[in-house]
Amino acid sequence: MTDTPDRAETISLLSQQWDALADLVAGLDENRWRTPSPLPGWTVFDVLAHVIGTESFLLGEKPPAQHPKHAKVDVRTLPHVRNEIGVMNEIWVQRLRPLPGRELLQLFRDVTDRRHKMLAAMADAQWQVPTQSPVGEVPYGRFMRVRLFDCWMHELDIADALGVAVDEGGRRGELAFAEFTASLPRVLVKLGKAPEGSSITFDLTGPLARRLHIEVGGRARYVEALDAPATVTITLDAGLLARLGGGRVTADSVLGRIHFTGDSDLGRQLVRNLTFTI
């Protein structure tokens, strides 16, 4: 996976992802808009408001003014706000929350249309400019792949909240999941405390099925194949892995959907310590 993905493809997939989000909420009544999502403190409405906020920020825009009839909230006191990015996210959500769902969807379509035009008008050199992102300073193009992952995850959030199925695979899912798995070796050591000399295989099922082999030696890294049987093989759906990494579910609540071969104690330790996305 390169640090600067193909510009035309990434822009096209982002646009498709925004369309998928809009299609998912189109036609919802106000009660359905306010359905709690897997994200603490946020409804379906709030998830889409968050995406609007991020894309508006990338257009250089500020949050709208506080609604005069909406109680002001010190977002830093909310238990699910843990850092400055969370503060910014929550301000946008709070400021947009008084809108009815149909107006939020109109705003989403307007903002993402302007973002698509902005990206399409960028010069190739701008795609390479070092930019601060949730994964550190990376080329702007890599940041847009992070945006694709974030929006893909929020499609899953909304679908799970509404109890509907969406296509988690395809090229959008492939590129988003590649962004997610890029951090997995580091997470297994930093959070999961995978021991030196161990090896882990993820045998993933579902639309994003694949086998991921990771060796821990000095640092954790992907390898094409292991020289010996893995210390532990963890078999689960790729979408479930993404939800674990995003903190949408706890490992203990879904252990019945995860199978371990080899050192099952290590396997459980790893899946219980996978949450790493913001």
Side-chain angles (χ1 to χ4, degrees):
M1 186 177 70
T2 62
D3 277 344
T4 49
D6 181 80
R7 177 169 170 260
E9 181 186 41
T10 304
I11 294 171
S12 175
L13 292 174
L14 255 178
S15 184
Q16 292 172 35
Q17 183 60 65
W18 292 328
D19 287 344
L21 281 166
D23 291 344
L24 191 54
V25 298
L28 293 181
D29 63 29
E30 201 60 33
N31 286 335
R32 291 280 274 167
W33 271 107
R34 309 296 171 165
T35 303
S37 82
L39 294 168
W42 282 6
T43 63
V44 166
F45 181 103
D46 297 334
V47 173
L48 200 70
H50 157 59
V51 178
I52 291 171
T54 302
E55 301 305 335
S56 297
F57 172 78
L58 293 173
L59 286 167
E61 298 173 359
K62 295 180 179 180
Q66 178 78 33
H67 191 281
K69 294 184 179 180
H70 193 64
K72 187 174 182 180
V73 176
D74 182 356
V75 299
R76 294 178 186 275
T77 67
L78 299 174
H80 57 275
V81 175
R82 301 186 181 93
N83 51 44
E84 290 306 308
I85 292 178
V87 169
M88 183 187 77
N89 291 342
E90 197 65 32
I91 289 173
W92 275 97
V93 170
Q94 294 283 336
R95 299 286 177 85
L96 293 173
R97 195 170 276 158
L99 294 176
R102 66 181 182 279
E103 289 187 22
L104 188 84
L105 178 55
Q106 290 172 355
L107 180 59
F108 175 78
R109 285 176 166 150
D110 172 69
V111 168
T112 54
D113 179 63
R114 288 187 290 120
R115 275 283 288 147
H116 180 266
K117 290 175 180 176
M118 172 189 171
L119 291 170
M122 289 179 73
D124 288 339
Q126 292 175 280
W127 199 245
Q128 305 288 339
V129 172
T131 308
Q132 286 298 327
S133 81
V135 295
E137 186 176 274
V138 294
Y140 191 85
R142 169 75 189 282
F143 182 20
M144 292 305 97
R145 185 167 59 204
V146 175
R147 290 300 310 131
L148 176 64
F149 163 69
D150 185 65
C151 293
W152 177 78
M153 281 293 293
H154 290 318
E155 181 186 2
L156 304 188
D157 291 333
I158 293 174
D160 290 350
L162 297 175
V164 300
V166 293
D167 181 7
E168 298 183 13
R171 186 58 180 160
R172 280 192 293 113
E174 289 284 343
L175 206 62
F177 196 64
E179 184 61 49
F180 169 80
T181 56
S183 298
L184 198 54
R186 175 182 57 82
V187 170
L188 293 178
V189 172
K190 184 176 181 179
L191 301 181
K193 308 301 181 185
E196 180 75 11
S198 63
S199 57
I200 302 104
T201 292
F202 283 95
D203 193 358
L204 302 178
T205 61
L208 294 168
R210 66 203 60 208
R211 299 196 94 199
L212 302 175
H213 302 291
I214 299 167
E215 286 185 342
V216 182
R219 64 182 181 87
R221 63 188 182 94
Y222 284 114
V223 293
E224 289 294 323
L226 299 174
D227 295 332
T231 307
V232 61
T233 296
I234 305 172
T235 303
L236 75 165
D237 182 85
L240 179 56
L241 178 63
R243 288 168 172 87
L244 285 166
R248 272 58 171 184
V249 295
T250 64
D252 286 335
S253 71
V254 294
L255 278 179
R257 298 166 57 190
I258 306 174
H259 180 71
F260 304 100
T261 303
D263 188 342
S264 57
D265 288 340
L266 174 60
R268 283 188 286 270
Q269 173 183 311
L270 296 175
V271 298
R272 284 173 172 144
N273 294 280
L274 275 177
T275 301
F276 69 95
T277 65
I278 294 174

